[in-house]
């Protein structure tokens, strides 16, 4: 199939950036979207032009490196699929595709489709862990975890941190990402001692990074490659509000 | 000068006491003095992240580096199946000794007994640590940890978190690391690629040179010790199950500075991956080993059989694994399955549009157990397969083909995980590891975490304690020289200005290595590869085209640097494979097979580790050997008939 | 009030404030609707012991609101308390809405060239402009029926007359109807959204959260839209 691509090109963080049109010919329907871009890039190199920079690593939908908008859809049109797992058979000959990086104040564009998602790491730094130093752990089976709880925690823990939730959210909020980590740890018995501090610190870190707020539009859930539920956002809000109530509404000690 | 005598520093005494005895005698660094030491950890996979976090918890100052945008994306994230530990929760007779035994035997008697025993011992602590961190392992209804049997093991000792065990374990280590970053003990350098290690005049590792992958800036970092946890090198084959960024550069740069590279030819080819669909193919996707529990492997007896698979009647099918290995059938070990699959495809019996796969058929299992049961067991795998191929494996049999997956070879390390260069350590898949010539399923995650959480935090103190008060400086001749060399190399790559992309060279190199140093090797092929590779390498250095400059985010430059190192590694792999004139584990020399087509070891001549010393580009490396002794597990010939 | 500002500082806190004030406003709207339904009550109401011909039920209801709580409270006392609570709620609700809107603008300084697809409900996208319409409407509504400034021949206390007089003009009715639709959409998403904002979720009742929101959105809209229609069709007349 032949496609027309409009790709965001931006030389570096300071560059203005613009959409540039490319034609790609004879794309196999079995290729993945990133492989289609690989083909384009080889053509560009052949012509002495700089290839389109995009982030990728595992190409198995698990590392969370890849991701950009295709015609207004984070990770493209297939639900539950990262762009590296999106295959060209879902497109048709003659399609015109607009490819843009995630847009968020907290994710500055570094080049073309590559953005800096360091804000996510900093949210984790605020409390997305259980404080247990190496060697301190008790025998694993001393902490039984009811199966439904473990399963639910796993549903949340699956987040790959790709940033699609932020990209699709009309408010540019990071609530799905943050709530997935808060919920993963706050659901488990191991996470209880730090539960409320965690909710407070991580929610506040999210604001500090310049993300938007949650209007409960649920766009994030619709595009999440791991189909993480916005129920976790409600859980996070609950833990946060409870924490505020319990702590006499004082700001938490910064972790 | 680097030392060239191989002292593996295996402690004396009975195997079950070696580690405890050793720990008891390691020198310690006073808690107040720990903050006076800086440790550089390159890599944030299971091995790197666990080590960096543990060092910081102990009080050391740590700098951690990874080339991804976040430490959470290290390739360990992709591991699916699970992690072994000798907990014996199932009361099925597992024990530290049995895990040790299975691993030594699985490694085809080419690993160090003492290391493997220690690995089995600390496997217990790993599960405790990860569970406490909140890794959502699968549970039974009683709330206790669930286990499954994996990769043909006779006991259930594999812990798992759905099909995302690596992800969850890595997130556990990553979270511990982020906690220490927040506390200021770890400085994280994401998007920083290590391009060289700095060795001082006394042969000691004192720092590294990195390139900031956003600005292109070349930086110096000084440390009292340098720990490489940079993963495996399967991407030398171009197509592999590894992440696209996985590379050998860090280990290779250390090798060029004098670190010995051990057993480079030991590579693991995983039998069940989705075959390539065209020449744009960029990587191969692993389909879990567990599929072979219920799937039957077959090909049509007639080459070019045009019928749909379900139209081919039983008598016209060849269930070649069941036929050749009546007792293990489809569950033969990875290497045996991979070899046999390649064999039938080479004979022209392959299926699919490219005739490059064999069927893995679930029709019988679906009939016997019902679609629902199959869905429960493999639902997510089937969905992934359908996503990639567009075919529904409930209806059409899957097509599979082997793909490079794991590399047992790596930097040579002693019992303390130190390379032959003082102060330079290697952990995880980057070291030559505890897996001998073949790794068992679910044991790489175990090894990475064992190294990072429970071995290196002890052993590094023994080295550091002797260096208290040593000031760090990046303003030394060693740093300046090394930095200049790195800069020079970057400039050289950029200024070739030829016509071919790094990717096209990588693909071509991959095809050569796969053809001649892949599933099965022979002397003639290896000799041929040893001519092809240098020729292509020369073309690379004269005809490479990188568009874009060095002072920016330049993915072509990154790739070119990695491919350049893969060229040199590929040559060493072939040298090693040619030199090792026996078959063992993943290294099958066609000249050395039992009458049944099994790997035929030659213990008399090859019961040793080959550690290679770099002598320069295109120069024959020097082989240094570390003899292996087997006191507890007596070498036997594997048989799966 | 430091606890309030500590809470209010975060986006989640602001949303909780919006949700709580939204609940207050919603409660008012429900009562308001119940009150207005008196428009349909036929005949006249006579207070116990009263001798005259009596008054329209809705006028009596208005009278009741002004005197409820007497003699414990002065006349208009309860009504003023009620009005102050509502006013504070409205101010907080709008203030938070404003700040959150700014926050969301700031979070994406550069818009997408190709507009992000909408995968979920459109109702949620109308909250901001819908809110503005509701606000304008409320102001007009107060001028119309409370202050009487824009009501033709306003008679204080004669709610029935004032309503009929105002709605007899088709354009006023049309505006009123449009505003009710905006309110309906607001509630359609808002009444579900508040559960999320306050963290009220549980697998056992999650499925009826949206049922609740949709039912009340419809009840309120249909109820409120019926008044101008009833006047225009002559069902309710002088
Ligand atoms: C698809 C797949 C499935 C697997 N499943 C299993 C399984 O079920 N069970 C099991 O036990 N094993 C499994 N394995 C193997 C296992 O995942 C790996 O061996 C293991 O995770 C390696 O961990 P590591 O920490 O050594 O390296 P990695 O996780 O590869 O980490 C390497 C780190 O080094 C960094 N790095 C590399 N080079 C540089 C450089 N030059 N400069 C700076 N940083 C650098 C990277 O950024 C990264 O952080 C699987 C492997 C694959 C490919
Ligand atoms: C009768 C009047 C009103 C009622 C009953 C009402 C009710 C609600 C409710 C229940 C919510 C959901 C809160 C949450 O998600 O937690 C909401 C949200 C909202 N309201 Fe109102 N509201 C009213 C008036 C207004 C007015 C006058 C404005 C603005 C001028 C307004 C602007 C908004 C906005 C912008 C939101 C969305 C906040 C978000 O994006 O999440 N509302 N309202
Ligand atoms: S490249 Fe890893 S998720 Fe797409």
């Amino acid at each position: 199939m032949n496609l027309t691509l409009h790709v965001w090109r931006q030389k570096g963080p300071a560059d203005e950036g613009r959409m540039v049109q490319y034609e790609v010919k004879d794309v196999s329907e079995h290729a993945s979207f990133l492989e289609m871009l690989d083909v384009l890039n080889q053509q560009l190199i052949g012509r002495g032009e700089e290839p389109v920079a995009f982030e990728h690593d595992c190409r198995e939908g698990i590392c969370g490196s890849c991701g950009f908008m295709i015609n207004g859809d984070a990770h493209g049109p297939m639900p539950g699929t990262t762009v590296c797992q999106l295959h060209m058979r879902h497109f048709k000959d003659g399609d015109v595709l607009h490819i843009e990086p995630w847009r968020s104040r907290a994710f500055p564009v570094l080049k073309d489709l590559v953005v800096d998602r360091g804000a996510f790491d900093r949210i984790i730094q605020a409390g997305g862990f259980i404080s247990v130093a190496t060697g301190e752990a008790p025998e694993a089976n001393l902490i039984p975890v009811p199966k439904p709880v473990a399963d639910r925690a796993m549903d949340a823990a699956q987040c790959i941190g790709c940033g699609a939730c932020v990209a699709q959210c009309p408010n540019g909020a990071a609530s799905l990402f943050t709530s997935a980590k808060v919920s993963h740890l706050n659901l488990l018995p191991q996470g209880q001692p730090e539960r409320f501090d965690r909710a407070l610190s991580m929610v506040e870190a999210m604001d500090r990074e310049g993300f938007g707020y949650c209007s409960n539009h649920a766009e994030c859930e619709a595009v999440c490659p791991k189909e993480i539920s916005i129920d976790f956002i409600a859980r996070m809000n609950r833990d946060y509000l409870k924490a505020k109530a319990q702590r006499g509404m004082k700001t938490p000690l910064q972790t | 000068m680097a030392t060239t005598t191989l002292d593996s520093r295996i402690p004396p005494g009975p195997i079950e006491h070696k580690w405890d005895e050793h720990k008891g005698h390691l020198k310690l660094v006073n808690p107040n003095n720990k903050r006076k030491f800086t440790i550089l950890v390159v890599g944030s996979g299971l091995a790197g992240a666990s080590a960096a976090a543990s060092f910081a918890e102990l009080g050391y100052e740590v700098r951690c580096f990874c080339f991804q945008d976040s430490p959470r994306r290290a390739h360990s994230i992709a591991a699916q199946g699970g992690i072994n530990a000798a907990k014996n929760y199932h009361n099925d007779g597992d024990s530290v000794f049995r895990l040790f035994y299975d691993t030594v035997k699985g490694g085809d008697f080419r690993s160090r007994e003492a290391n493997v025993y220690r690995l089995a011992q600390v496997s217990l602590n790993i599960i405790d640590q990860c569970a406490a961190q909140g890794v959502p392992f699968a549970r039974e209804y009683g709330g206790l940890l669930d286990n499954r049997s994996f990769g043909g093991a006779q006991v259930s000792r594999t812990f798992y978190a759905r099909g995302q065990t690596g992800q969850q374990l890595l997130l556990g280590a990553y979270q511990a690391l982020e906690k220490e970053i927040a506390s200021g003990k770890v400085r994280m350098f994401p998007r920083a690629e290590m391009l060289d290690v700095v060795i001082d005049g006394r042969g000691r590792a004192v720092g590294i040179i990195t390139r900031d992958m956003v600005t292109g800036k070349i930086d110096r970092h000084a440390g009292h010790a340098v720990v490489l946890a940079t993963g495996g090198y399967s991407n030398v084959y171009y197509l592999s199950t590894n992440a696209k960024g996985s590379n050998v550069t860090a280990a290779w740069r250390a090798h060029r500075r004098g670190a010995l590279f051990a057993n480079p030819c030991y590579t693991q080819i995983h039998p069940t991956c989705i075959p390539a669909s065209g020449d744009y193919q960029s990587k191969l996707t692993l389909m879990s080993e567990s599929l072979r529990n219920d799937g039957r492997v077959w090909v049509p007896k007639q080459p070019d059989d045009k019928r749909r698979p379900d139209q081919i009647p039983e008598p016209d099918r060849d269930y070649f694994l069941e036929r050749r290995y009546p007792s293990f059938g489809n569950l033969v070990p990875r290497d045996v399955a991979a070899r046999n699959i390649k064999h039938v495809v080479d004979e022209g019996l392959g299926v699919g549009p490219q005739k490059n796969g064999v069927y893995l058929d679930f029709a019988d299992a679906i009939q016997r157990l019902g679609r629902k049961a199959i869905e429960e067991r493999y639902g997510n795998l089937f969905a992934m397969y359908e996503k990639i191929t567009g075919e529904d494996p409930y209806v059409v049999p899957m097509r599979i083909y082997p793909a490079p997956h794991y590399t047992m070879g790596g930097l040579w390390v002693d019992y303390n995980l130190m390379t032959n260069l003082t102060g330079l350590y290697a952990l995880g898949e980057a070291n030559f590891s505890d897996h001998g010539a073949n790794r068992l399923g679910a044991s790489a995650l175990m090894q990475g975490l064992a190294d990072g959480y429970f071995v290196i935090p002890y052993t590094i103190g023994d080295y550091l304690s002797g260096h208290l008060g040593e000031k760090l400086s990046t303003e030394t001749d060693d740093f300046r020289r090394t930095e200049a060399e790195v800069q020079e190399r970057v400039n050289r790559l950029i200024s070739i200005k030829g016509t071919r992309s790094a990717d096209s060279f990588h693909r071509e190199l991959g095809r050569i290595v796969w053809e001649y140093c892949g599933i099965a090797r022979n002397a003639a092929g290896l000799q041929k590869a040893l001519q092809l590779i240098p020729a292509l390498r020369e073309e690379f250095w004269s005809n490479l085209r990188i568009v874009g400059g060095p002072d920016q985010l330049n993915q072509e430059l990154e790739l070119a640097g990695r491919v350049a190192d893969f060229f040199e590694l590929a040559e060493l792999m072939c040298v090693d494979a040619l030199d090792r004139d026996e078959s063992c584990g993943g290294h099958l020399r066609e000249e050395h097979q039992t009458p049944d087509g099994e790997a035929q070891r030659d213990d008399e001549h090859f019961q040793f580790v080959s550690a290679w010393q770099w002598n320069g580009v295109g120069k024959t490396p020097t082989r240094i050997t570390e003899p292996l002794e087997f006191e507890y597990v007596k070498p036997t010939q594997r048989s799966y008939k | 009030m430091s606890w309030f500002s500590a809470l209010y500082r975060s986006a989640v806190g602001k949303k909780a404030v919006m949700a709580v004030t939204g609940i207050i406003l919603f409660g008012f709207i429900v009562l308001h609707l119940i009150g207005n339904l008196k428009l349909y009550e036929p005949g006249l109401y006579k207070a116990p012991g009263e001798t005259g011909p009596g008054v329209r039920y809705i006028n009596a209801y208005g009278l009741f609101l002004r005197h409820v709580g007497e003699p414990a409270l002065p006349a208009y006392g309860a009504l003023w308390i009620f009005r102050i609570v509502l006013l504070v709620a409205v101010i907080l609700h709008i203030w938070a809405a404003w700040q959150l809107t700014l926050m969301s603008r700031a979070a994406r300084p550069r818009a997408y060239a190709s507009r992000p697809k909408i995968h979920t409900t459109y109702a949620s996208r109308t909250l901001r402009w819908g809110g503005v319409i509701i606000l304008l409407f409320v102001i007009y509504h107060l001028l119309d029926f409370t202050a009487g400034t824009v009501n033709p021949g306003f008679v204080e206390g004669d709610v029935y007359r004032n309503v009929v007089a105002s709605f007899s003009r088709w354009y006023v009715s049309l505006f009123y109807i449009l505003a009710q639709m905006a309110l309906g959409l607001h509630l359609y998403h808002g009444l579900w959204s508040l559960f999320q904002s306050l963290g009220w979720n549980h697998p056992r009742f999650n499925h009826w959260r949206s049922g609740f929101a949709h039912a009340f959105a419809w009840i309120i809209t249909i109820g409120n839209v019926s008044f101008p229609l009833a006047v225009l069709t002559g069902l309710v007349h002088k």
Side-chain angles (χ1 to χ4, degrees), chain A residues 6-235:
Chain A
H6 295 265
V7 185
W8 181 259
R9 301 306 307 265
Q10 181 174 336
K11 283 192 181 321
D15 181 30
E16 235 328 270
R18 68 217 59 86
M19 296 297 273
V20 178
Q21 182 175 337
Y22 299 102
E23 307 292 330
V24 214
K25 303 239 174 309
D26 300 324
V27 177
S28 161
E29 57 163 3
H30 296 298
S32 72
F33 203 91
L34 296 188
E35 286 168 343
M36 184 273 291
L37 288 183
D38 289 341
V39 172
L40 168 68
N41 278 345
Q42 291 303 311
Q43 290 169 10
L44 291 179
I45 296 169
R47 301 207 296 257
E49 291 176 42
E50 267 199 51
V52 178
F54 59 88
E55 205 134 24
H56 65 99
D57 200 16
C58 72
R59 297 204 176 192
E60 287 189 9
I62 190 74
C63 73
S65 293
C66 67
F68 41 74
M69 305 294 285
I70 305 173
N71 285 352
D73 277 316
H75 288 300
M78 297 301 290
T81 308
T82 52
V83 278
C84 61
Q85 291 277 284
L86 176 66
H87 281 69
M88 296 312 292
R89 68 182 74 89
H90 303 297
F91 297 89
K92 53 185 195 312
D93 189 44
D95 273 354
V96 179
L97 305 177
H98 291 81
I99 303 175
E100 292 178 80
W102 296 159
R103 296 261 181 232
S104 157
R105 177 164 63 134
F107 292 167
V109 175
L110 297 177
K111 183 176 184 178
D112 298 342
L113 305 174
V114 178
V115 300
D116 178 359
R117 288 169 290 198
F120 273 6
D121 291 326
R122 291 187 291 275
I123 292 177
I124 301 295
Q125 282 159 32
F129 47 77
I130 288 171
S131 300
V132 48
T134 304
E136 286 180 344
E139 150 62 40
N141 262 346
L142 286 179
I143 322 166
V145 182
K147 184 168 161 42
V149 173
D151 285 345
R152 194 88 186 106
M154 182 65 204
D155 290 341
Q158 291 191 72
C159 169
I160 60 174
C162 63
C165 46
V166 175
Q168 196 77 26
C169 175
N171 299 314
S175 299
L176 193 61
F177 167 80
T178 311
S179 70
K181 186 49 64 189
V182 170
S183 302
H184 157 210
L185 299 176
N186 281 8
L187 274 158
L188 293 170
Q190 301 93 302
Q192 294 315 304
E194 294 164 293
R195 174 173 172 188
F196 293 110
D197 277 329
R198 177 176 302 119
L200 288 174
S201 318
M202 290 181 72
V203 163
E204 281 161 20
M206 187 165 77
D207 289 358
R208 257 199 318 277
E209 293 297 333
F211 290 105
Y213 75 102
C214 175
S215 276
N216 304 315
H217 290 302
E219 287 292 329
C220 49
E221 181 185 80
V223 300
C224 174
K226 295 290 146 188
E227 302 181 315
I228 291 174
S229 162
I230 56 165
D231 286 352
F232 294 122
I233 298 183
R235 268 199 73 89

Side-chain angles (χ1 to χ4, degrees), chain C residues 3-203:
Chain C
W3 63 266
F4 180 78
S5 51
L7 171 73
Y8 190 78
R9 207 166 25 236
S10 70
V12 173
K14 287 192 183 68
K15 270 314 292 272
V17 169
M18 288 210 71
V20 171
T21 54
I23 293 171
I24 295 173
L25 296 176
F26 170 65
F28 162 72
I29 296 223
V30 171
L31 294 178
H32 191 279
L33 175 64
I34 292 171
N36 283 357
L37 286 172
K38 306 269 173 306
L39 207 58
Y40 298 131
E41 191 99 34
L44 298 175
Y45 170 80
K46 265 199 260 184
E50 196 180 315
T51 48
V55 293
R56 301 263 189 195
Y57 270 85
I58 187 145
N59 292 356
Y61 171 67
L63 203 66
F64 158 77
L65 285 181
R66 287 188 282 277
H67 297 282
V68 64
E70 274 181 65
L73 294 170
Y76 288 82
L79 188 60
W80 270 109
I81 292 174
F82 201 57
R83 280 176 177 167
I84 287 167
V85 170
L86 281 181
L87 191 69
V88 171
V90 166
I91 290 171
L92 284 176
H93 194 83
I94 296 176
W95 187 32
W98 173 247
Q99 289 188 315
L100 288 172
T101 304
L102 290 184
M103 188 174 178
S104 127
R105 291 273 148 79
R108 180 161 300 131
R110 170 160 225 147
Y112 287 107
S114 159
R115 276 190 83 142
K117 289 243 175 64
I118 296 183
H119 301 87
T120 52
T121 84
Y122 281 82
S124 66
R125 303 306 176 95
T126 64
L127 253 51
R128 279 181 205 149
W129 285 108
V132 173
I133 295 173
I134 297 168
L135 179 65
L136 293 177
F137 163 75
V138 170
I139 294 170
Y140 184 86
H141 188 74
L142 292 172
L143 294 176
D144 196 1
F145 298 122
T146 311
T149 25
V150 298
N151 192 289
F154 180 72
V155 178
E156 175 144 26
D158 194 348
V159 182
Y160 189 91
R161 192 218 75 88
N162 295 343
V163 167
V164 174
S166 194
F167 288 160
S168 300
R169 296 164 303 167
W170 65 267
Y171 49 91
V172 173
S173 288
L174 187 64
F175 172 52
Y176 192 99
I177 290 170
L178 287 177
Q180 290 316 311
M181 288 171 145
L183 179 62
L185 283 174
H186 205 85
L187 295 177
Y188 192 85
H189 180 69
L191 291 183
W192 169 80
S193 173
L194 69 87
F195 287 94
Q196 285 285 115
S197 300
L198 294 174
W200 294 338
N201 76 328
H202 191 280

Side-chain angles (χ1 to χ4, degrees), chain A residues 11 13 28-32 34-36 38-39 41-42 44-60 62-65 79-82 85-87 89-90 110-111 114-118 120-122 124-126 128-148 150-155 157-163 177 181 184-185 188 190 194 225-226 255, chain B residues 50 53-54 57 67-75 77-80 87 89 124-125 127-145 161-164 167-168 171 174-176 178-179 181-182 190-191 214 238 241-246 277 280-286 353 384 386-391 452-454 457 499-504 507 545-549 552-556:
Chain A
K11 283 192 181 321
S28 161
E29 57 163 3
H30 296 298
S32 72
L34 296 188
E35 286 168 343
M36 184 273 291
D38 289 341
V39 172
N41 278 345
Q42 291 303 311
L44 291 179
I45 296 169
R47 301 207 296 257
E49 291 176 42
E50 267 199 51
V52 178
F54 59 88
E55 205 134 24
H56 65 99
D57 200 16
C58 72
R59 297 204 176 192
E60 287 189 9
I62 190 74
C63 73
S65 293
T81 308
T82 52
Q85 291 277 284
L86 176 66
H87 281 69
R89 68 182 74 89
H90 303 297
L110 297 177
K111 183 176 184 178
V114 178
V115 300
D116 178 359
R117 288 169 290 198
F120 273 6
D121 291 326
R122 291 187 291 275
I124 301 295
Q125 282 159 32
F129 47 77
I130 288 171
S131 300
V132 48
T134 304
E136 286 180 344
E139 150 62 40
N141 262 346
L142 286 179
I143 322 166
V145 182
K147 184 168 161 42
D151 285 345
R152 194 88 186 106
M154 182 65 204
D155 290 341
Q158 291 191 72
C159 169
I160 60 174
C162 63
F177 167 80
K181 186 49 64 189
H184 157 210
L185 299 176
L188 293 170
Q190 301 93 302
E194 294 164 293
K226 295 290 146 188
T255 30
Chain B
S50 59
S54 304
E57 288 161 6
F67 66 75
Q68 291 92 347
D69 69 325
S70 162
R72 67 177 289 152
R73 306 199 202 285
H75 169 59
I77 201 100
Q80 305 166 349
K87 284 280 195 190
Y89 282 161
L124 308 175
N125 310 60
I127 301 304
D128 298 344
Q129 187 65 29
C130 297
Q133 287 171 342
V135 169
F137 283 122
R139 301 271 166 174
E140 290 169 343
Y141 280 97
L144 303 178
L145 290 156
R162 287 198 196 144
Q164 290 118 291
Q167 180 199 29
Q168 294 310 317
L171 291 182
Y174 157 77
Q175 288 164 200
E178 291 296 326
K179 175 172 180 287
I181 294 172
R191 294 192 201 274
V214 179
Y238 188 81
T241 63
N242 284 20
K244 289 292 286 177
S246 298
S277 66
Y280 45 80
Q281 190 82 28
S282 60
K283 75 149 314 181
L284 296 170
T285 302
L286 176 75
M384 170 145 100
E386 187 171 2
K387 217 173 244 180
I388 292 172
T389 62
E391 290 175 1
Y453 281 135
F454 296 110
T499 59
R500 280 183 70 179
S501 69
D503 187 78
S504 79
R507 266 179 209 274
R545 166 181 276 183
I546 295 177
V547 191
Q552 59 173 67
L553 197 163
N554 189 335
Q555 294 175 323
E556 285 303 299

Side-chain angles (χ1 to χ4, degrees), chain B residues 291-296 322 330 361-374 377-378:
Chain B
L291 289 169
R292 284 196 283 140
N293 288 340
D294 286 304
R296 296 180 70 195
E322 295 171 23
N330 296 297
D361 197 339
F362 293 85
D364 282 357
I366 292 174
Q367 206 167 42
R368 183 160 38 93
L369 306 161
R371 182 182 159 124
K372 207 156 161 13
I374 294 299
R377 281 182 206 175
Y378 311 114

